[in-house]
Amino acid sequence: MKSSNAVPTLIFFVMLIIGILLGYISFGMSPSFISVSLFSFILALVVSSSIKIANPWDKALVLHLGNFRRLKGPGMFFIVPIIETIPYWIDTRVIATSFNAEKTLTKDSVPVSVDAVLFWKVLDPVKASLEVADYHSAINWAAQTALRDVIGKTLLSEMLEGRDKISNVLQTIIDERTEPWGIRVNSVEVKDVLIPPGLEDAMSMQAQAERERQARVILGDSERQVAEKFGEAAKTYANDPVALHLRAMNMLYEGLKKNSTFVIVPSSAIDSMQLGAKEGVTGFSNGINNKNPKVQAQ
């Protein structure tokens, strides 16, 4: 809807006041003064109603005795009162229209509610005015019916995962329907897809079970890799006794250098490391204690 402009109103009052003043100066308070004032009122009304001002984004459709005459705007222009009329002021800016489809069945018979936003623009104001009665309502209904058609041909999983694909399909369908009206669809954005609460809980449980399955698979694969590495280490130690001795001594050293007071070492390990029964272990512990006074070997 076209917003009112103060310029025609200002011109009306200025012309009316000037006419009244001239009539009073010329004729005083006489019947002629009343005639001049009435003529000034009619003239000011005609002139002010013939002046139209369109905003930078507005286009005015001018009809001459019911026939399309011209398209005017933006800026100031004039029309012939009574003979010419302006039934439509067309906004040529990008317009956002929200539309939805409630409880519509998908291809796999799941009721969903979808909310979306349509961004469109009038490219041909003449077609938008003459080819369709109310292009705002028409494009809204075209968007809703297109959305219902797309939902009925799409699986729920595809709808939840591929919103961009659905938006592109909707844009193509709606643009084809609105092109004869001189309207171009810039984009369609799907805001939200609502599914029944019961199905939502089931899908949540399914997703949780899938995550647990993946976690168990990863854990099992990790165990397999660890077992393979232990097997490779066992083969290395079997072929290299010195490496096994060094590894055993390193493990014993790591256990003694901490705050532990007891270290349980199998007798076979002592023999393999050639530490020499109790005296060897005690000497080894004393060496560790000299570096870390907090550790006491018992």
Side-chain angles (χ1 to χ4, degrees), residues 93-100 116-123 128 132-147 170-171 173-188:
R93 295 174 294 182
V94 175
I95 301 175
T97 301
S98 178
F99 63 101
N100 59 5
V117 179
L118 176 68
F119 297 92
W120 54 279
K121 181 179 182 180
V122 177
L123 294 182
V132 60
D134 184 357
Y135 61 90
H136 283 276
S137 299
I139 195 171
N140 190 22
W141 284 112
Q144 288 191 15
T145 55
L147 179 58
L170 282 173
Q171 179 180 351
I173 296 175
I174 301 173
D175 193 44
E176 291 178 355
R177 296 181 179 180
T178 58
E179 184 179 1
W181 306 336
I183 297 173
R184 182 184 67 187
V185 177
N186 293 342
S187 64
V188 178

Side-chain angles (χ1 to χ4, degrees), residues 13 20 22 69 94 110 152 217 219 241 249:
F13 283 107
I20 292 174
L22 290 176
R69 183 66 177 269
V94 175
V110 178
V217 171
L219 179 61
M249 294 179 66

Side-chain angles (χ1 to χ4, degrees), residues 3 11 16 19 68 112 135 182-183 233 290:
S3 59
I11 292 176
L16 180 60
F68 171 71
V112 297
Y135 61 90
I183 297 173
N290 292 333

Side-chain angles (χ1 to χ4, degrees), residues 4-5 18 23 28 36 38 44 67 99 101 119 124 126 145 154 162 177 193 195 205-206 211-212 237 247 254 261 282:
S4 60
N5 194 286
I18 291 175
V36 172
L38 182 60
N67 296 319
F99 63 101
F119 297 92
D124 192 340
V126 177
T145 55
T154 307
R177 296 181 179 180
V193 178
I195 60 178
M205 295 175 60
Q206 180 182 0
R211 287 194 295 268
E212 291 181 357
Y237 291 145
R247 177 57 180 162
E254 293 293 334
T261 57
T282 303

Side-chain angles (χ1 to χ4, degrees), residues 190-206:
V190 176
K191 294 191 301 182
D192 197 8
V193 178
L194 301 178
I195 60 178
L199 181 60
E200 186 176 354
D201 294 340
M203 294 178 64
S204 177
M205 295 175 60
Q206 180 182 0

Side-chain angles (χ1 to χ4, degrees), residues 7 9 19 24 38 61 63-64 74-76 92 96 114 132 177 179 193-194 214 217 234-235 248 252 283-284:
V7 174
T9 304
Y24 180 77
L38 182 60
L61 187 76
L63 299 182
H64 182 81
M76 181 183 292
T92 58
V114 180
V132 60
R177 296 181 179 180
E179 184 179 1
V193 178
L194 301 178
Q214 293 180 356
V217 171
K235 293 180 181 179
L252 182 60
F284 186 75

